[in-house]
């Protein structure tokens, strides 16, 4: 019986490996010379990406020309497509252990057509917009091969969607009138899509080339070194003794793995093979154990700094810095994960589950001492690092980088020697009892150094994301090559030469894994470029704006729900990155425009985060959620029920995007000071925990219906207190249009002014709407309105009319026109702080706590009496 079970488990693990390979790195594993070619091609791709990210090209510019954007994007896509055709079979019945001749042909042709832009860049620059027949043939072949590579690596959905957009380019005149356009010629379309940086070789592929690859490679190197295994051990040792401890460990370890992983399926398999059996051991059902892992792993993509590659795309699409993206994403990700830990606790409480027994006893004051020591140690280490490097800059000047490297290497060696005093961590799926936390934590502290380097370069040195990831990856390679040989020298438990060889193998495998994990992303960003190229060529974005605004009747909430549904549907077949590119390109500007028409300032980053969140949720949405299938393969549960249960846990994540659209403080926008920040964090965390308790039907004990309703009301109030304050005090005050210059002059930098505009279109339709216009830097009101909003006004008998507008400026984008009248200006009212609404919410919460405490005490007394009887 035991042998059969072990065999079944082995079969399940094999199918899991095939699932991850088919979705992330390629299902084909040929033997012999072809297999070696795949390995060394992937290795060469990683070397190329490290080269272009480093300062080396500029140091050797006199010997080797510095590659420009065209060169790097062409080579990047050439590697991705070459590996896509060799690593991904064309059909399910295609051979897995060899590469058919037709795939060799397609792989070589794909290299030729992608490198065409780089090799003939000078000739193409001499004839912009006038492609030759050869240019058109190359472009057509390239587009077809990109679509086929996307089908192989990502499945049919992205290929089909990109194909539909491509058909719209040529046959738009045959589309329904509401979305029709004149259509493009073959020359115009091919030139736009392939020969310029507006289509396939556009922003998305550029982000993949300069930033995403380095972060994926860094994650692969970190994982190969054993950091992922270390994170699992640490989470389990710290949380395994708690109620439902293994499930809480699953959440935390998935969050830590998500710091560097961009794949929810790989996250499920990495952590789930260990955590799911342990969850079942303490009493979780197969479906609930799988669902906890699914919810944890999909949410890993919400966690900065990588965020499934979307963080880097947001830099380009939104036009803000990488640090700003991380700042906006941090709070929602943290409270979402804390809420998931709480949901696990509630599930365990409902079922009366306990954690795993500790092999030792710890009194409460020892736990407090350990906690305070850890916090104090982090504070001291952070302060020492900050001031040490600050002092080094003053002392060493331009040589600071070399001094910092010495300090970093010495720290690494000290931590490595220290780690040898503790047993080596085995595979996480071999844990059979709760380990002591201290030895586990100390055994791998040096794994945190590359992450510290990454964060330091990003946040303190303010280097570019690509260069920061390069330095972190370089240090990670140093660790990968040295940590096993150095341990072998110190411990003398294995032969030094074997350890050196193992380090070299780990380095090679980490580099290869990073490249193979990038195949799908590289192809996806290229294919998504077809969609972005269609948007810029045809203007369908404006058409979609009018169409969506029409079907939603201008209601922002209806439009948000509509957008969320589109994200979920597209996300069932598209990877998160491609889903984000498609929906953000079409829907983000629409939501901002309609929000302004409703008198609501919706920052562009909030809309992009909204789209991104729902794209991630699609990974566990039945019936397609692949993460749920991977978890079910481990747990032995039903994949559909696992997906449904996982989506139930993720309702807390689904509610967040709606909330930060209306309360942008959750994205840390508009925070006025430390006290305000603490208030926002505490209220958001309390609201999320109460929402989780309400949706799970359990708080201190099982909820009654009215208690659930009241908890949802409290959660909504804590999340969006301004909703109730608006009912008591009007949020806006209307001023005469003639006050517009005074109002604009008093606004802070980069603020927006809300104005009501009336007029008539050329077709004779009446216009009466509210728009938000930027006012830019401080200065006189009229100047700020002219320069930032792109609009000049004229005064006729005390009435203001639009006299002229800047072409393509904010005013024109808001669909204003000449001779529209500025009817009024709307400014925020002087009213009490919205946080006063927290007081009645707290009173209601205290009432529920008292009621449930009394009911729980009565239940315990009854149970004790029944037992004694």
């Amino acid at each position: 019986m035991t042998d059969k079970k072990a065999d079944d488990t082995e079969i399940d693990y094999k199918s899991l490996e095939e699932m991850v390979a088919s979705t992330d790195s390629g299902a084909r594993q040929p033997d012999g010379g072809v297999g070696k070619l795949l390995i060394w091609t992937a290795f060469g791709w990683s070397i190329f990406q490290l080269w272009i990210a480093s300062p080396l090209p500029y140091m050797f510019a006199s010997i080797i020309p510095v590659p420009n954007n065209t060169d790097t994007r062409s080579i990047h896509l050439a590697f991705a497509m070459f590996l896509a055709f060799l690593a991904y079979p064309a059909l399910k019945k295609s051979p897995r252990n060899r590469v058919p001749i037709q795939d060799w042909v397609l792989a070589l042709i794909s290299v030729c057509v992608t490198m065409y832009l780089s090799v003939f860049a000078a000739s193409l620059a001499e004839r912009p917009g006038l492609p030759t027949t050869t240019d058109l043939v190359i472009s057509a072949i390239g587009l077809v091969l990109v679509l086929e590579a996307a089908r192989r690596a990502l499945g049919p959905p992205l290929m089909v969607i990109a194909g539909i957009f491509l058909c719209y380019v040529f046959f738009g005149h045959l589309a329904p009138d509401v979305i029709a356009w004149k259509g493009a010629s073959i020359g115009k379309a091919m030139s736009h899509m392939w020969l310029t940086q507006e289509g396939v070789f556009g922003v998305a592929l550029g982000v993949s080339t300069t930033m995403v690859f380095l972060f994926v490679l860094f994650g692969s190197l970190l994982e190969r070194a054993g950091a992922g295994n270390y994170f699992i051990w640490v989470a389990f040792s710290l949380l395994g003794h708690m109620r439902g401890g293994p499930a809480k460990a699953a959440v935390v370890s998935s969050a830590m793995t998500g710091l560097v992983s961009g794949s929810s399926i790989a996250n499920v398999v990495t952590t789930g093979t260990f955590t799911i059996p342990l969850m079942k051991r303490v009493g979780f059902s197969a479906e609930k154990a799988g669902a906890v892992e699914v919810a944890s792993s999909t949410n890993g993509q919400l966690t900065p700094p990588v965020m499934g590659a979307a963080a880097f795309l947001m830099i380009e699409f939104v036009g803000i810095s990488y640090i700003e993206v991380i700042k906006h994403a941090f709070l929602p990700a943290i409270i979402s994960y804390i809420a998931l830990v709480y949901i696990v606790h509630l599930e365990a409480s409902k079922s009366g589950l306990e954690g795993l027994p500790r092999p030792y006893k710890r009194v409460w004051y020892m736990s407090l001492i350990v906690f305070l020591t850890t916090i104090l140690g982090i504070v001291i280490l952070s302060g020492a690092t900050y001031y040490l490097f600050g002092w080094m800059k003053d002392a060493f000047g331009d040589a600071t980088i070399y001094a910092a490297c010495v300090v970093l290497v010495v720290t690494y060696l000290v931590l490595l020697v220290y780690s040898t005093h503790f047993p080596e961590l085995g595979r996480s799926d071999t844990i059979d009892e709760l380990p002591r936390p201290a030895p586990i934590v100390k055994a791998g502290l040096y794994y945190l150094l590359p992450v510290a380097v990454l964060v330091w370069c990003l946040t303190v040195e303010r280097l570019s994301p690509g260069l920061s990831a390069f330095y972190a990856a370089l240090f990670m390679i140093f660790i990968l090559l040295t940590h096993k040989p150095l341990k072998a020298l110190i411990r003398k438990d294995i032969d030094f030469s074997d350890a050196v060889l193992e380090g070299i193998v780990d380095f090679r495998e980490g580099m290869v894994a990073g490249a193979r994990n990038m195949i799908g992303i590289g192809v996806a960003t290229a294919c998504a470029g077809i969609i972005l190229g269609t948007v810029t060529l045809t203007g369908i974005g404006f058409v979609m704006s009018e169409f969506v605004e029409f079907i939603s009747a201008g209601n922002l909430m209806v439009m948000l729900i509509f957008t969320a549904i589109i994200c979920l549907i597209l996300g069932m077949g598209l990877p998160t990155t491609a889903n984000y590119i498609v929906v953000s390109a079409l829907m983000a500007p629409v939501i901002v425009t309609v929000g302004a028409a409703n008198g609501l300032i919706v920052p562009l980053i909030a809309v992009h985060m909204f789209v991104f969140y729902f794209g991630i949720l699609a990974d566990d949405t039945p019936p397609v959620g692949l993460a749920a299938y991977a978890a079910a393969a481990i747990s032995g549960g039903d994949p559909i029920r696992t997906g449904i249960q996982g989506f139930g846990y993720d309702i807390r994540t689904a509610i967040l995007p709606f909330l930060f659209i209306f309360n942008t403080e959750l994205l840390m926008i508009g925070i006025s000071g430390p006290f305000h920040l603490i208030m926002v964090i505490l209220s958001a965390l309390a609201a999320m925990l109460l929402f989780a308790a309400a949706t799970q039907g359990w708080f201190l004990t099982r909820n009654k219906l009215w208690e659930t309703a009241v908890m949802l009301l409290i959660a909504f109030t804590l999340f969006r207190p301004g909703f109730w304050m608006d009912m008591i005090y009007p949020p806006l005050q209307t001023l005469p249009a003639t006050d517009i210059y005074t109002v604009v002059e008093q606004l802070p930098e980069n603020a927006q002014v809300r104005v009501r505009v009336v007029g008539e279109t050329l077709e004779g339709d009446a216009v009466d709407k509210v728009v938000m216009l930027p006012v830019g830097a401080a200065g006189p009101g009229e100047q700020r309105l002219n320069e930032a909003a792109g609009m000049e006004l004229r005064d006729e008998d005390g009435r203001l009319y639009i006299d002229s507008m800047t072409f393509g400026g904010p005013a024109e984008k808001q669909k204003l026109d000449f001779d529209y009248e500025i009817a009024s200006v709307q400014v925020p009212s002087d009213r009490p702080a919205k946080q006063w609404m927290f007081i009645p919410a707290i009173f209601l919460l205290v009432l529920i706590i008292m009621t449930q405490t009394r009911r729980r005490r009565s239940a315990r007394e009854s149970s004790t009496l029944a037992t004694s009887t």
Side-chain angles (χ1 to χ4, degrees):
M1 185 74 174
T2 305
D3 291 340
K4 183 179 186 306
K5 185 176 181 180
D7 290 342
D8 290 344
T9 303
E10 185 177 347
I11 292 172
D12 285 340
Y13 286 174
K14 184 177 180 181
S15 65
L16 284 171
E17 290 173 2
E18 290 177 356
M19 179 182 292
V20 174
S22 62
T23 56
D24 282 352
S25 58
R28 186 180 280 152
Q29 300 287 344
D31 302 321
V34 176
K36 291 180 180 178
L37 175 66
L38 278 176
I39 289 172
W40 290 110
T41 301
F43 184 86
W45 190 10
S46 294
I47 292 293
F48 166 74
Q49 295 290 159
L50 287 171
W51 169 264
I52 63 172
S54 72
L56 294 177
Y58 300 96
M59 296 170 62
F60 295 95
S62 59
I63 303 174
I64 304 173
V66 177
N68 56 32
N69 283 342
T70 301
D71 298 326
T72 55
R73 294 179 189 185
S74 298
I75 298 172
H76 179 84
L77 185 57
F79 271 115
M81 291 182 64
F82 181 80
L83 290 171
F85 284 112
L86 297 187
Y88 289 88
L91 304 168
K92 288 184 178 180
K93 62 182 180 181
S94 298
R96 298 295 196 269
N97 59 351
R98 64 182 179 85
V99 180
I101 185 66
Q102 63 270 22
D103 286 353
W104 281 108
V105 173
L106 293 176
L108 293 173
I109 292 176
S110 67
V111 172
C112 294
V113 296
T114 49
M115 290 302 298
Y116 183 81
L117 271 74
S118 177
V119 174
F120 297 99
S123 300
L124 292 170
E126 292 174 359
R127 52 176 192 272
L130 299 171
T132 64
T133 303
T134 303
D135 295 340
L136 298 180
V137 172
I138 291 292
S139 301
I141 294 173
L143 290 175
V144 172
L145 290 179
V146 165
L147 293 172
E148 170 59 13
R151 184 194 67 81
R152 293 191 182 205
L154 307 165
L158 181 58
M159 180 203 71
V160 171
I161 293 171
I164 291 172
F165 274 81
L166 204 54
C167 289
Y168 178 75
V169 170
F170 297 112
F171 307 110
H173 59 285
L174 302 177
D177 290 342
V178 69
I179 60 170
W181 91 296
K182 63 180 180 179
S185 65
I186 296 289
K188 176 66 175 175
M190 293 300 101
S191 176
H192 188 84
M193 292 293 181
W194 193 263
L195 302 180
T196 70
Q197 292 189 357
E198 294 291 334
V200 170
F201 295 91
V203 171
L205 187 65
V207 170
S208 176
T209 304
T210 57
M211 300 185 216
V212 178
F213 192 104
L214 270 297
F215 278 85
V216 172
L217 178 62
F218 173 67
S220 296
L221 294 171
L222 199 61
E223 177 65 33
R224 186 69 191 184
N229 188 57
Y230 170 70
F231 290 155
I232 295 173
W233 275 90
V234 169
F236 182 65
S237 66
L238 293 173
L239 302 173
H241 67 283
M242 297 181 177
R243 188 184 293 269
K248 292 175 181 175
V251 176
V252 174
S253 59
S254 291
M256 290 191 291
T257 305
L259 290 173
V260 293
S261 171
S263 169
S264 55
I265 298 170
N267 203 338
V268 167
V269 174
T270 301
T271 60
T273 50
F274 155 65
T275 57
I276 290 176
L278 284 175
M279 282 188 269
K280 293 175 66 178
R281 188 189 304 176
V282 298
F284 281 83
S285 67
E287 283 76 20
K288 286 189 177 180
V292 169
E293 184 57 49
V294 167
S296 306
S297 298
T298 53
N299 282 189
Q301 293 185 70
L302 304 177
T303 313
V306 178
M307 297 169 60
F312 312 108
L313 290 164
M314 287 183 191
I315 297 172
E316 300 295 331
F317 291 170
V318 183
I320 60 177
S321 70
Y322 182 67
I323 301 301
E324 289 291 311
V325 172
I326 291 177
K327 183 185 80 171
H328 298 318
F330 178 75
L331 182 57
I334 292 300
I335 64 175
S336 180
Y337 262 114
I338 292 175
L340 184 55
V341 172
Y342 184 58
I343 286 174
V344 167
H345 176 78
L346 295 175
E347 285 283 10
S349 299
K350 285 191 285 186
S351 304
L353 305 180
E354 298 293 337
L356 296 177
R358 275 177 168 167
Y360 59 94
K361 290 185 178 180
R362 175 183 282 181
V363 291
W364 67 270
Y365 59 84
M366 288 299 297
S367 299
L368 181 61
I369 290 173
V370 171
F371 176 76
L372 292 177
T373 303
T374 304
I375 297 298
L376 188 61
I378 293 173
V379 172
I380 292 174
L381 183 62
S382 301
T385 303
Y386 183 83
Y387 289 108
L388 173 64
F389 279 94
W391 169 80
M392 287 171 61
K393 282 186 176 182
D394 295 334
F396 294 99
D398 294 338
T400 300
I401 181 66
Y402 305 107
C405 289
V406 172
V407 171
L408 196 62
V409 171
V410 170
T411 305
Y412 162 63
L413 294 175
V414 170
L415 291 178
L416 185 71
V417 172
Y418 185 57
S419 71
T420 59
H421 293 84
F422 307 98
E424 190 74 22
L425 300 179
R427 283 179 55 86
S428 54
D429 55 9
T430 62
I431 300 177
D432 52 8
E433 65 177 15
L434 190 66
R436 289 179 176 271
I440 300 296
V441 173
K442 295 171 184 176
L445 285 173
Y446 63 90
Y447 287 128
L448 303 179
L449 289 178
V451 179
V453 170
L454 176 64
V455 174
W456 174 268
C457 290
L458 285 170
T459 59
V460 179
E461 296 297 330
R462 295 299 178 102
L463 302 180
S464 69
L467 191 57
S468 300
F470 165 75
Y471 286 126
L474 204 62
F475 186 52
M476 193 64 244
I477 291 171
F478 173 72
I479 291 177
L480 205 59
L481 290 171
T482 59
H483 76 126
K484 288 183 178 179
L486 290 174
K487 283 182 178 179
L489 279 177
I490 297 169
R491 287 177 171 158
K492 298 181 171 56
D493 54 349
I494 60 173
D495 184 69
F496 176 73
S497 59
D498 291 341
V500 171
L501 183 61
E502 193 174 345
I504 294 173
V505 170
D506 285 342
F507 165 61
R508 185 196 68 185
E509 293 300 316
M511 296 281 279
V512 171
R516 294 196 68 156
N517 289 339
M518 271 301 300
I519 298 172
I521 297 176
V523 172
T525 51
C527 195
I530 296 175
I531 298 168
L532 294 176
T534 302
V535 172
T536 57
L537 177 62
T538 65
I540 191 176
F542 296 108
V543 176
M544 284 295 294
S545 298
E546 295 177 353
F547 177 67
V548 173
E549 190 172 354
F550 171 75
I551 63 173
S552 65
N555 186 295
L556 182 60
M557 183 56 72
V558 173
M559 183 176 299
L560 291 173
I561 294 172
F562 180 70
T563 303
I565 293 172
I566 289 177
C567 291
L568 290 175
I569 293 173
L570 288 176
M572 290 182 190
L574 298 185
T576 305
T577 306
N579 186 3
Y580 166 72
I581 292 172
V582 173
V583 185
S584 64
L586 294 176
M587 300 299 298
V590 189
I591 296 174
V592 172
T593 302
V594 174
N598 284 266
L600 180 69
I601 300 177
V602 184
L604 193 56
I605 182 63
V607 182
H608 281 261
M609 290 286 290
F610 181 95
V611 170
F612 175 57
Y613 265 55
F614 277 101
I616 288 173
L617 289 175
D619 277 351
D620 62 0
T621 304
V624 184
L626 294 179
Y629 280 87
I634 300 171
S635 68
D638 179 79
I640 299 298
R641 282 191 287 175
T642 300
I644 293 172
Q645 183 70 60
F647 190 76
Y649 292 153
D650 267 341
I651 290 176
R652 79 201 190 288
T653 305
I655 203 70
L656 266 176
F658 287 98
L659 292 166
F660 59 57
I661 286 288
F662 293 97
N663 182 8
T664 54
E665 289 177 351
L666 295 174
L667 299 177
M668 290 199 258
I669 296 174
I671 302 296
S672 58
F675 179 76
H676 188 187
L677 176 62
I678 293 171
M679 180 76 74
V680 169
I681 292 174
L682 293 179
S683 61
L685 183 58
M688 184 55 78
L689 296 182
L690 285 170
F691 182 81
T695 54
Q696 293 303 306
W698 189 282
F699 185 35
L700 302 179
T701 185
R702 190 171 300 279
N703 297 342
K704 292 185 176 180
L705 187 60
W706 71 268
E707 291 173 334
T708 296
V710 172
M711 278 194 282
L712 289 174
L713 179 65
I714 296 171
F716 178 77
T717 302
L718 294 176
F719 267 130
R720 197 184 168 200
F723 179 83
W724 306 112
M725 187 62 75
D726 291 348
M727 293 184 175
I728 302 172
Y729 296 94
L732 299 172
Q733 177 184 358
T734 301
L735 300 178
T738 50
D739 290 347
I740 188 169
Y741 294 136
T742 304
V743 170
V744 168
E745 187 169 342
Q746 294 173 352
L747 288 173
E749 286 192 2
N750 301 318
Q752 291 181 304
V753 62
R754 181 185 282 107
V755 296
R756 177 170 163 256
V757 181
V758 297
E760 187 176 290
T761 66
L762 294 176
E763 293 77 19
D765 298 326
V767 174
D768 188 343
K769 61 181 181 180
V770 176
V771 297
M772 307 293 300
L773 297 172
V775 296
E782 186 172 359
Q783 177 184 330
R784 298 179 76 181
L785 204 61
N786 294 347
E787 294 179 355
M791 181 177 70
E792 293 185 7
L793 306 177
R794 71 174 186 274
D795 189 335
E796 293 185 2
D797 300 325
R799 302 174 68 176
L800 296 181
Y801 295 90
I802 298 176
D803 192 47
S804 65
M805 291 188 301
T806 303
F807 178 73
E812 187 187 52
K813 289 181 179 179
Q814 292 281 14
K815 299 179 183 177
L816 303 185
D817 208 343
F818 301 106
D819 293 329
Y820 279 16
E821 181 183 358
I822 307 299
S824 60
V825 183
Q826 298 176 353
V827 297
S829 299
D830 185 14
R831 60 178 187 169
K834 60 184 179 182
Q835 283 77 14
W836 285 106
M837 291 292 106
F838 290 166
I839 295 177
I842 293 172
F843 276 122
L844 289 174
L845 178 59
V846 171
L847 175 64
I848 290 179
I849 291 174
M850 292 173 59
T851 304
Q852 292 209 356
T853 301
R854 192 181 306 115
R855 196 160 68 247
R856 184 174 64 174
R857 188 184 303 117
S858 299
R860 286 178 177 174
E861 291 172 354
S862 300
S863 176
T864 303
L865 182 61
T867 303
S868 61
T869 303

